[in-house]
Amino acid sequence: MVNKRGSGIFRLSPVLQTSLPDKKIDCRLFFKISAGFGLRQRSVPMALENIIYEKKGTVAYVRFNRPKNFNALDGGLIKDFTKAMEMCSDDDSVRAVVITGEGKAFCSGGDIAVFRSFFDKDRAEPFRELIKALNPGIITLRRMKKPVIAAVNGAVGGAGMSIVAACDFRICAASVRFRAG
């Protein structure tokens, strides 16, 4: 809930209060952090192929890193996303997680190149495989006992909307466009 002056400071539910040292979150601060401004703490990057995972202080940043494909989900990105969610969940020093995308899009959904390869076969197969592969990452995200913030930039489509919806908080840039299909 935004206070009456619209400062962007939100009070947390009692469940989330145990995850953070104080009882409120300044969403403007999280937006600045996800945009690359603000805190100048030592960054601890982790090596994943399609995701940039960084830890700055007690905040973990998970950035989809396929900007040329508008961060479209393929097998490698889904595998790295699931691994990043597990790393965030298992690390007790992480108190909050920010998920965002590199480039002009947060996540455009499933990779069209993967879908194209199934045009002569069963066209529903890539959707089944995408859902089956993404499900463990979404479940890990939802069960995480720390707040997960989606810092949404640019376009969001299909399965990318599922990731945004699974987060506890969503902060969107003015340029964000959502498309279901």
Side-chain angles (χ1 to χ4, degrees), residues 40-179:
R40 299 191 190 227
Q41 297 179 356
R42 190 173 143 256
S43 172
V44 181
M46 295 288 185
L48 295 169
E49 193 173 320
N50 298 294
I51 287 209
I52 298 171
Y53 178 90
E54 289 183 294
K55 211 169 98 177
K56 295 180 183 178
T58 59
V59 180
Y61 297 89
V62 176
R63 294 194 316 258
F64 298 121
N65 192 26
R66 294 186 70 213
K68 290 180 182 175
N69 297 11
F70 295 99
N71 299 315
L73 296 169
D74 67 352
L77 181 59
I78 292 171
K79 183 177 127 192
D80 287 352
F81 173 73
T82 301
K83 178 68 176 162
M85 292 300 99
E86 289 169 356
M87 290 167 29
C88 292
S89 183
D90 294 343
D91 188 348
D92 291 334
S93 68
V94 171
R95 307 270 313 220
V97 179
V98 177
I99 301 173
T100 191
E102 288 289 303
K104 296 180 180 181
F106 177 83
C107 177
S108 61
D111 193 341
I112 298 297
V114 174
F115 296 147
R116 241 184 247 146
S117 66
F118 283 87
F119 277 172
D120 295 335
K121 305 171 190 165
D122 181 9
R123 292 184 182 187
E125 184 62 24
F127 294 103
R128 283 193 291 269
E129 292 300 317
L130 177 79
I131 292 167
K132 188 172 151 183
L134 188 58
N135 195 32
I138 297 287
I139 289 172
T140 304
L141 187 156
R142 289 299 307 146
R143 290 184 177 164
M144 206 175 303
K145 296 187 184 317
K146 44 198 94 172
V148 181
I149 298 108
V152 185
N153 56 309
V156 183
M161 289 177 54
S162 296
I163 294 170
V164 171
C167 293
D168 299 310
F169 298 98
R170 293 144 209 93
I171 302 169
C172 298
S175 62
V176 170
R177 297 290 178 254
F178 290 93
R179 185 172 175 114

